[in-house]
Structure formats: C-alpha cells, structure tokens
Amino acid sequence: MSRPLVLVSNDDGYRSHGVQALREALERIAEVVVCAPEIEQSATSHSLSVHRPLRLFRREDRLFSVDGTPADCVYVALYGDRKVLPRAPDLVVSGVNHGVNLGDDVFYSGTIAAAREAALKGITSIAVSTSFNADTRVAAELATKLAELLLERNERRALLLNVNVPKPWNGAVRATRLGRRLYQDDVEFRRDPRGREYMWIGGAGYEHPPLAGSDTEAFDAGTATITPLSLDLWAPHEAAFVEELAPRLTRT
C-alpha cells in the first residue's frame, strides 16, 4: 500500500525553519508535499486572493510556493489540477509557526487559516506553533506524533486541531479550550524620510486573563496544548436575542 500523503503549509513562507523542520519530521511517516507562501504572511487570517492573479512556483521536488496567502496555498494545492498534489491528502499540517497562536490569535493567524481551509473541505488538519526563539524541531516532533495517531485512526473528517508548544516545555500535553490573549492596542504614527505620515498598528504587550482549562493557562504553566477548533461560528446563546429583534425589523 502507498504511504499516507500529507500536505504541509504555513504563514512564515516556504523558506522558514519551521516548515523545513516539519517536513523532515513528517517524512518519516508519510509522503510530504509542501505548498507555502512565497513570503511571510503572518496575521493575514483566512483571506483568499480573488481580485488578482496568483503564481505557483516549483522550488524542488514536492516543494512549491505561491505568491499569495496561506489559505491560497492550500486552495491551490487541493484544486490545482494535480500540479501540486498527486491525489487528495490524508492530512494537512500547517506550521511550525514562529510564535504561538493562543486564544484570540486564532482569528488573525495565517497558520491556523491554512489548516482551517483544509478542514472546511473535510480534511483533518493540524496547526502547530511554538514560542519565538524555540527549537522548531521539538514542535515538529510533537506534531508528527499527533499526525501519526490521526493517520492510524484513519480520521477523515473536518477536524481542526490547534497545537502550541511553549519554551521551555515541561513535556506535558494538555487538551484545552481557547483562552483570551489580549494585546496592547496601539496605533503609532511616524514620519518617513520625505515627511509623509505612516502608521504601525498593534502594541507589543499582551496578557492572559485567568481561565481554567484554557490554552493560555496551560501554556503559561509550560505545558503544550491541543485545542479543537469549531468551524461553526453560530452563537446559539444569542439566538433568543436575535429572535426578539427580527420581528421589529420585518417590513409589513
């Protein structure tokens, strides 16, 4: 029988150390194809480039880049007339991201978006991230062990798992829920050499409010986390409130 096929992507670009470490680790258990952004696409979330043409580059055997977003890369790999993948992948793994994706990060992360794009198509997917300045090979090994378990179980469903590995890591792994990762909100105005104004958005600081069982709580304790993410954004606890509003907005 043929080996499982794993598609690897990320948001740091196809040259990143994280994607190289992940590729090398996964190749022990599967056939691996990488399709990743041409340049870094951090915080691009789940955007698709529908208003401009994209270009696909074959860098070497089973290594491709796309001049687009992480979600673009997975989309092109899955539906690109087999120019990237010889068949449908058994699993998609995104990472290893340089910097964690905890709590509110899931709304902005290109790493998670690449995995989510595959999950939306019914493919089991993993997003894996680690701390800045961490050895990405450690996270890649953990992701590979998880991938092996999923492949052994022959999981073929829209499962999306978000994995984060701290530095230092105490060796433990915990199943978690999403916490809160609150960044310092800031817009910094500057002047370029020609006197024109420009801006940097987003502050450098962040905090993790206490929340039992959360990924942020476990991460702060030095524990690696696995958080299942939902693809359904419907908020059932707000349904009664909207049911009350709808009749008042109905035209008669």
Side-chain angles (χ1 to χ4, degrees):
M1 295 182 64
S2 61
R3 302 178 80 202
L5 177 61
V6 177
L7 171 64
V8 168
S9 192
N10 72 351
D11 72 358
D12 289 327
Y14 77 97
R15 300 180 184 89
S16 76
H17 294 300
V19 81
Q20 293 170 19
L22 188 58
R23 180 188 188 187
E24 291 172 4
L26 287 168
E27 282 178 340
R28 298 199 307 269
I29 67 167
E31 179 182 349
V32 179
V33 176
V34 176
C35 188
E38 180 73 10
I39 60 174
E40 183 178 348
Q41 295 287 324
S42 296
T44 54
S45 190
H46 205 121
S47 59
L48 289 172
S49 302
V50 297
H51 297 296
R52 70 173 183 87
L54 293 172
R55 298 189 186 278
L56 174 67
F57 303 93
R58 184 181 183 276
R59 298 300 174 180
E60 59 182 66
D61 186 34
R62 298 178 183 174
L63 174 61
F64 299 84
S65 67
V66 175
D67 63 340
T69 67
D72 287 334
C73 294
V74 173
Y75 190 98
V76 168
L78 294 179
Y79 301 107
D81 195 28
R82 297 197 175 181
K83 290 182 180 292
V84 176
L85 293 170
R87 63 183 188 277
D90 300 290
L91 183 71
V92 172
V93 187
S94 179
V96 174
N97 189 64
H98 183 227
V100 296
N101 283 298
L102 299 164
D104 303 76
D105 292 341
V106 301
F107 291 100
Y108 304 99
S109 169
T111 301
I112 293 173
R116 185 169 52 227
E117 178 64 23
L120 287 169
K121 311 308 184 202
I123 303 169
T124 298
S125 303
I126 305 168
V128 56
S129 307
T130 193
S131 301
F132 287 109
N133 301 319
D135 186 347
T136 55
R137 292 173 296 183
V138 174
E141 289 295 332
L142 178 59
T144 298
K145 290 179 181 179
L146 175 58
E148 192 168 23
L149 289 174
L150 294 173
L151 291 169
E152 286 176 356
R153 292 170 60 96
N154 197 29
E155 295 290 348
R156 294 184 180 273
R157 56 194 176 99
L159 176 65
L160 175 57
L161 301 178
N162 184 34
V163 177
N164 285 279
V165 183
K167 178 189 177 183
W169 176 31
N170 62 20
V173 180
R174 191 185 303 175
T176 56
R177 58 167 294 181
L178 281 179
R180 297 299 313 276
R181 187 167 169 86
L182 304 179
Y183 287 88
Q184 174 186 345
D185 293 321
D186 189 29
V187 179
E188 184 176 346
F189 292 88
R190 300 180 182 178
R191 294 284 177 180
D192 67 21
R194 297 186 178 181
R196 295 172 300 188
E197 188 174 73
Y198 68 96
M199 298 171 290
W200 283 107
I201 67 171
Y206 64 86
E207 62 177 333
H208 295 161
L211 183 61
S214 66
D215 56 356
T216 49
E217 177 195 57
F219 184 88
D220 289 343
T223 300
T225 66
I226 305 178
T227 309
L229 300 181
S230 173
L231 301 177
D232 183 358
L233 296 179
W234 178 59
H237 59 283
E238 299 290 2
F241 173 69
V242 177
E243 288 286 350
E244 178 187 343
L245 293 180
R248 301 174 65 179
L249 299 171
T250 301
R251 295 179 64 180
T252 57

